[in-house]
Amino acid sequence: MAGLINEEDLATVRERSRIEDVIGSYVTLRRSGGGSLTGLCPFHDERTPSFHVTPARGFFHCFGCGEGGDVISFVQKINHVSFAEAVEFLADRVGLQLRYSDGGGQRVEPGLRLRILEANQLAAEFFSGHLLAPSGLPGRQFLDGRGFDKDAAEHFGIGFAPTGGRELGQHLRSRGFSDDELVKAGLVRENGWDFFQGRVLWPIRDAGRSVLGFGARKIFDDDRMPAKYLNTPETIVYKKSTVLYGLDLARGNIAKKNQAVVVEGYTDVMACHLAGVDTAVASCGTAFGDDHARMLQRLLGTGDVSGGEVIFTFDGDAAGQAAALKVFKGDQNFLAQTYVAVEPGGLDPCDLRIQQGEAALRELVGRRVPLYQFVMRNVLAGYDLDRVDGRLAALRAAAPLVSSIRDESLVLGYVRELAKWLGMDPEEVRREVKVTVQRRSRTAERRPEQEEALPIPEPRPGLPVPDPRDRRLEAERGTLRLIVRAPETFTADWNGLVADDFTHPAYRALFESVLSAADGAGQWTQRILHARPDPVLEQLVVSLAVEPVLRDPTEAYAREYAAQLRVQGLSRKIAGLKSKLQRTNPLDDQQAYNRMFATLVNLEKERKELLALATGPAL
């Protein structure tokens, strides 16, 4: 990897790069008093010039938005590149070969960046011209089918690559470009054929409207390239992880509105802009990543967490949900709030504009929901919220999402919202979120070598072994202890107990063995074990048979334990029914709502009756 840029070369770049010439290629400058130049600021919208350039000092400053600096910082800001990339850009511009410390040597041959940008610009003009030629009819028909007319094609610079396969290379060679330059620009292949053939093309520009590369769409069935979309290969100016289609058109609007809309395709960007959503951009041939996020954050240019928003238009299918989760994991790159806009019918922005009009597209963006909410909803959809264990599992899956919310003032609101979706007590949800935060904090404090030293438990086959010290399962264990040691204290139907009264898999399995062994012959414990041979059950029966009981087994004692266990089961049913009622709109199905409410009343009555019996020592 190359080292630091030589200090003498850095000074030479600053000396040779006249700030008025560099900025003048982006901004129209006019002379004003005091030896300065003025123009409209490229970093914010204005009607009265407040952007000043002072050539004698080599600085620029905008009195409207406060942006300022030297020629290098201007290139950094306008093209959204690093310091080193800005220096390399200016070095190419003045024909200087940079030297690097630590033996890094030359990174890019002098002037190659500018030559590639020039070739790309000529290629864009060549393609747009061929779209209007008779041979470009298939391209025009494709655009027309997507709802785009000639004015739209000109506005976005859409082009068409001829089907011959050598026309672009011949054209650019006639303009003085070598085969080596065209290959390094990604316009021509090493075998001499044009990289793009018989496709509709979109020029991909940076914020300064320099053409960095192209995106091409397949329109012929006999196209030799199987991919529907084909992008310029990686070059010294085109890196797909750091470019966004539509950035040249959306940059000013993003800064003005503090909003960026991220869509998935080139036609989606076009549809959004034509519908008035003029902050739309799209990643090019790759998923939206961390570099894209940082680029948008610089465009939004606000340190206020509530001062901007980034809206993603994912599909509602599994792929869209996966993409949303990926973005969520990188959400910390944003200072702005992140949202999701999903069309219920699954239409992308381009199809939505065609089928329902431009107003529907604007409404789609207006109906955005927070990214956290979208991701949490999809996480909860994977659990059975009608079951107690399902709700608990869903809560534990969603708690990390809530605990990672950057704006602490929003956490309490999301806790309440999550509690509503789950049909749970907000305080219970808050406690689980708090536990997640504490767990994450402990993990972060642990050194890497400590993490590596932690043993990784291997999954055990068969039934899990219950913890005899788990107080939440005390009634289940105590009841089974009585059944194993004194079955005669129970009625023939085991005091009304059923398998669902036991929540631990081993305890449930043991009670099912008890039901199967009730009518058999032989010793009681042996009959239980024969009903379902299992090493965990054998160990459990032996443990229960020798554990002490709190008092002498009696029928009253058995009734107390069984009643307590049935109360716990009824409480779970009641909690599940309340959760379902909370998640049900009575206006949607009044009869179903009334039936659930009547069931709830009966369960509460039965629970109250059992509570009078459940006065045993485990309470």
Side-chain angles (χ1 to χ4, degrees):
M1 181 177 178
L4 299 174
I5 299 172
N6 181 277
E7 287 294 333
E8 292 182 2
D9 292 347
L10 188 58
T12 303
V13 167
R14 284 195 170 99
E15 180 182 346
R16 294 186 184 179
S17 301
R18 296 177 61 84
I19 192 169
E20 66 271 28
D21 294 337
V22 174
I23 295 180
S25 62
Y26 297 90
V27 180
T28 301
L29 298 175
R30 293 182 173 82
R31 293 284 178 185
S32 64
S36 65
L37 306 170
T38 62
L40 294 176
C41 179
F43 303 113
H44 81 286
D45 285 347
E46 62 177 7
R47 295 184 179 181
T48 303
S50 58
F51 184 80
H52 289 249
V53 178
T54 308
R57 296 183 179 181
F59 288 102
F60 73 92
H61 181 77
C62 177
F63 291 93
C65 66
E67 291 284 2
D70 62 4
V71 65
I72 297 175
S73 60
F74 178 84
V75 173
Q76 283 184 262
K77 296 174 187 296
I78 198 71
N79 289 335
H80 302 282
V81 296
S82 66
F83 178 84
E85 290 172 320
V87 174
E88 289 167 347
F89 173 86
L90 293 171
D92 288 342
R93 201 173 188 274
V94 299
L96 176 67
Q97 179 175 325
L98 293 174
R99 293 168 294 173
Y100 297 86
S101 62
D102 302 326
Q106 176 184 336
R107 291 185 179 181
V108 178
E109 59 190 84
L112 182 59
R113 280 186 177 81
L114 283 181
R115 292 289 288 170
I116 289 178
L117 292 176
E118 291 172 5
N120 284 341
Q121 180 59 40
L122 290 174
E125 295 170 1
F126 174 86
F127 291 138
S128 62
H130 274 268
L131 179 66
L132 301 177
S135 60
L137 178 61
R140 298 196 298 273
Q141 291 174 331
F142 167 80
L143 292 172
D144 184 67
R146 306 300 291 158
F148 304 120
D149 56 18
K150 179 182 177 182
D151 290 340
E154 290 179 352
H155 180 69
F156 293 95
I158 313 302
F160 178 75
T163 57
R166 292 188 180 272
E167 291 90 338
L168 177 64
Q170 293 171 355
H171 173 71
L172 293 178
R173 290 186 196 96
S174 70
R175 302 295 294 267
F177 290 90
S178 67
D179 288 340
D180 183 62
E181 289 173 330
L182 298 180
V183 170
K184 289 179 178 177
L187 296 171
V188 172
R189 302 179 187 274
E190 291 186 356
N191 59 12
W193 289 90
D194 294 344
F195 191 82
F196 300 109
Q197 303 172 29
R199 291 196 170 212
V200 174
L201 290 105
W202 287 262
I204 301 168
R205 301 185 174 96
D206 62 15
R209 298 193 63 81
S210 295
V211 180
L212 306 176
F214 298 89
R217 209 276 191 187
K218 177 180 179 179
I219 58 174
F220 294 112
D221 293 336
D222 59 352
D223 192 315
R224 292 191 295 271
M225 300 299 292
K228 180 185 290 187
Y229 284 95
L230 182 66
N231 290 80
T232 294
E234 295 271 314
T235 71
I236 60 173
V237 300
Y238 179 81
K239 296 176 176 59
K240 61 185 179 182
S241 64
T242 60
V243 296
L244 290 168
Y245 175 69
L247 184 64
D248 55 313
L249 298 173
R251 180 182 60 81
N253 298 318
I254 290 174
K256 178 181 178 182
K257 299 179 179 180
N258 274 344
Q259 178 198 81
V261 177
V262 181
V263 297
E264 295 188 343
Y266 305 113
T267 56
D268 294 332
V269 171
M270 296 176 67
C272 285
H273 279 258
L274 294 175
V277 184
D278 52 10
T279 59
V281 295
S283 55
C284 304
T286 185
F288 188 90
D290 292 345
D291 289 333
H292 296 126
R294 285 187 282 268
M295 182 183 299
L296 285 184
Q297 188 58 54
R298 288 196 298 267
L299 285 172
L300 290 167
T302 175
D304 181 0
V305 72
S306 62
E309 59 183 31
V310 179
I311 304 169
F312 295 89
T313 59
F314 297 119
D315 292 337
D317 57 12
Q321 294 170 20
L325 187 58
K326 182 179 185 297
V327 170
F328 168 77
K329 291 179 179 178
D331 187 56
Q332 301 303 316
N333 292 316
F334 293 107
L335 289 176
Q337 294 297 312
T338 45
Y339 296 85
V340 176
V342 177
E343 204 285 315
L347 298 176
D348 60 35
C350 184
D351 288 333
L352 181 62
R353 175 176 176 264
I354 293 172
Q355 296 185 24
Q356 300 182 26
E358 295 180 348
L361 212 165
R362 294 191 294 272
E363 291 173 4
L364 170 66
V365 175
R367 291 195 307 268
R368 63 196 179 278
V369 296
L371 174 63
Y372 289 102
Q373 185 182 112
F374 179 80
V375 173
M376 280 196 293
R377 282 283 201 177
N378 283 287
V379 168
L380 299 184
Y383 296 88
D384 184 359
L385 300 183
D386 289 333
R387 294 173 56 90
V388 176
D389 56 345
R391 290 194 295 276
L392 182 58
L395 170 59
R396 289 173 176 169
L401 307 182
V402 180
S403 66
S404 64
I405 293 175
R406 190 174 45 249
D407 187 351
E408 293 184 1
S409 64
L410 296 175
V411 172
L412 183 58
Y414 279 110
V415 164
R416 292 197 185 103
E417 196 160 7
L418 179 58
K420 179 180 179 181
W421 294 334
L422 290 170
M424 298 179 69
D425 183 355
E427 182 59 26
E428 185 177 359
V429 174
R430 188 195 65 78
R431 285 197 301 268
E432 185 64 32
V433 171
K434 183 179 179 180
V435 169
T436 303
V437 172
Q438 294 171 342
R439 188 182 301 122
R440 180 185 290 116
S441 177
R442 288 194 298 268
T443 302
E445 292 172 358
R446 187 182 298 129
R447 297 193 303 272
E449 58 268 23
Q450 289 177 313
E451 289 192 8
E452 293 175 359
L454 289 175
I456 301 175
E458 295 183 0
R460 298 185 57 176
L463 292 169
V465 179
D467 183 356
R469 297 166 299 180
D470 192 338
R471 296 186 61 84
R472 295 171 300 178
L473 302 174
E474 187 174 339
E476 296 182 32
R477 191 176 186 90
T479 302
L480 288 170
R481 184 167 54 238
L482 275 176
I483 289 175
V484 169
R485 296 188 58 170
E488 69 279 1
T489 60
F490 288 84
T491 61
D493 66 347
W494 301 105
N495 290 13
L497 291 172
V498 295
D500 285 343
D501 289 324
F502 297 87
T503 60
H504 193 282
Y507 291 154
R508 180 194 294 261
L510 179 55
F511 185 73
E512 290 172 345
S513 296
V514 167
L515 295 177
S516 302
D519 298 328
Q523 188 181 12
W524 174 236
T525 54
Q526 291 301 318
R527 284 157 48 193
I528 295 175
L529 295 176
H530 286 320
R532 178 175 175 176
D534 185 279
V536 173
L537 289 187
E538 183 178 355
Q539 177 186 350
L540 182 56
V541 169
V542 172
S543 299
L544 294 174
V546 299
E547 285 180 4
V549 293
L550 296 178
R551 68 179 195 235
D552 292 336
T554 63
E555 293 181 359
Y557 193 30
R559 283 196 301 272
E560 291 171 1
Y561 256 120
Q564 181 181 341
L565 197 56
R566 290 177 61 192
V567 165
Q568 292 180 358
L570 281 173
S571 296
R572 289 192 296 271
K573 290 182 181 179
I574 290 170
L577 196 54
K578 285 183 176 179
S579 172
K580 196 167 186 177
L581 279 168
Q582 190 171 336
R583 291 180 278 112
T584 301
N585 187 346
L587 298 179
D588 294 338
D589 192 341
Q590 186 67 50
Q591 290 184 345
Y593 188 88
N594 290 341
R595 284 195 299 270
M596 285 191 289
F597 189 80
T599 302
L600 178 63
V601 171
N602 291 331
L603 289 175
E604 290 280 13
K605 180 181 178 183
E606 184 179 356
R607 179 174 175 271
K608 184 177 180 180
E609 293 172 352
L610 282 171
L611 278 172
L613 297 175
T615 57
L619 281 175

